[in-house]
Amino acid sequence: MKLVRYGAKGQERPGILDGEGAVHDLSGHLSDIDGGCLTTKGLAALRAIDPASLPLVEGTPQQDLRLGACVGSVGKFLAVGLNYADHAAEAGMDVPAEPILFTKWTSCIAGPDDDLALPPDSAATDWEVELGIVIGDGGRDIALDRAADHIAGYCVINDISERDWQLRRGGTWDKGKGYDGFGPIGPWLVTADEVANAAALRLWLEVDGHRFQDGTTATMVFGPAEIVSYASRFTTLMPGDVIATGTPPGVGMGQKPPVYLRRGQVMRLGIDGLGQQTQKVV
């Protein structure tokens, strides 16, 4: 299934994408695409619904029908740093022996095609296309061999990062990762049963038509199951929590000289089978 949230900001409604790419309204069955419907039991109930039996939503998604973040009421937005060996190399950092975990504040979450407003003091705002994990059944201290069963699905994330505040202004990475709008999620949540191999997906990002990132999740240091198991050692993962899994090389910081976002530019990014995002920088 491909699950979506559509409508104006703050008024999103739950929906499901049919085989022709049209959205059907799910609000007669649930109030939102969130942790309440993303457990094993909740997803089974959604699979029993024939999309053709649901009201058709007028408009074409991502054209004249706005999509919000594909998960609502996110409790935790975790992320993994330096999780691609080739990205660690371009950053001049060692490949980590264990996953580097940090948080993106949930107030940064945005729709996949919403404009990105640069912070007033931004000097080095960067892009990072990433595979997102959405937790289904929650848990703590999840064994590695069971971790995949706790993944409801996958999505596209742009882990937008202000590098000055992340790396050079003291404190933790979180300051540079959590500005409003720095976490576009979607366009849709693709349930795990429709993703044959999350460790072999092509992902890419362009700025004004120039392709900066073109990689594959096959070069991740830690795969999705490892990340879920590891993160659950430190926090109880809850249904609807989101984890960004790291980015391949080609970020602005890694260019020689570095290249950062400017107002008026447009980012396009995507992951095979999971959809695309477009953000204008304003």
Side-chain angles (χ1 to χ4, degrees):
M1 294 183 291
K2 292 183 175 67
L3 302 174
V4 301
R5 299 172 67 249
Y6 70 92
K9 291 183 182 181
Q11 302 176 40
E12 292 89 352
R13 297 165 65 94
I16 187 169
L17 210 65
D18 68 18
E20 304 302 317
V23 175
H24 293 258
D25 182 60
L26 275 169
S27 58
H29 294 266
L30 68 161
S31 60
D32 203 355
I33 303 297
D34 58 17
C37 72
L38 295 176
T39 62
T40 298
K41 181 179 179 180
L43 290 177
L46 289 179
R47 289 191 182 95
I49 301 170
D50 179 5
S53 70
L54 301 170
L56 180 66
V57 178
E58 186 176 339
T60 301
Q62 299 188 276
Q63 294 183 25
D64 54 353
L65 176 63
R66 177 188 176 270
L67 298 184
C70 59
V71 187
S73 302
V74 175
K76 289 189 290 296
F77 190 178
L78 305 178
V80 183
L82 302 177
N83 194 34
Y84 286 68
D86 35 11
H87 172 54
E90 76 169 347
M93 300 180 184
D94 294 334
V95 174
E98 298 184 31
I100 296 172
L101 296 178
F102 61 93
T103 61
K104 289 179 74 74
W105 298 311
T106 55
S107 54
C108 82
I109 292 173
D113 305 307
D114 292 345
D115 288 347
L116 168 67
L118 282 185
D121 57 355
S122 172
T125 297
D126 205 346
W127 54 82
E128 295 189 16
V129 59
E130 307 203 4
L131 173 69
I133 294 170
V134 181
I135 298 298
D137 295 334
R140 180 181 176 187
D141 295 323
I142 299 169
L144 178 58
D145 61 358
R146 294 189 296 106
D149 296 335
H150 291 258
I151 298 174
Y154 300 93
C155 59
V156 182
I157 294 176
N158 191 354
D159 175 20
I160 300 169
S161 309
E162 212 295 328
R163 301 299 190 188
D164 269 357
W165 285 105
Q166 177 194 356
L167 301 171
R168 293 184 281 273
R169 300 293 294 272
T172 65
W173 286 10
D174 302 22
K175 290 189 297 185
K177 295 283 191 173
Y179 284 97
D180 288 1
F182 272 33
I185 298 176
W188 28 79
L189 187 165
V190 181
T191 52
D193 59 300
E194 293 195 6
V195 180
N197 186 0
L201 298 174
R202 178 172 161 266
L203 62 174
W204 54 271
L205 182 144
E206 299 174 348
V207 179
D208 286 348
H210 177 81
R211 183 154 296 193
F212 283 94
Q213 293 188 275
D214 197 350
T216 169
T217 58
T219 64
M220 287 195 295
V221 180
F222 306 102
E226 292 175 282
I227 291 169
V228 169
S229 176
Y230 187 84
S232 75
R233 295 172 58 183
F234 310 101
T235 181
T236 299
L237 296 176
M238 302 295 290
D241 284 350
V242 175
I243 308 176
T245 60
T247 197
V251 299
M253 179 178 64
Q255 307 303 308
K256 300 186 184 303
V259 176
Y260 296 116
L261 292 169
R262 304 186 307 275
R263 291 173 179 82
Q265 293 184 310
V266 175
M267 289 181 284
R268 290 183 60 249
L269 57 146
I271 301 178
D272 286 356
L274 302 185
Q276 300 184 16
Q277 301 183 356
T278 302
Q279 293 114 29
K280 181 179 180 181
V281 184
V282 297

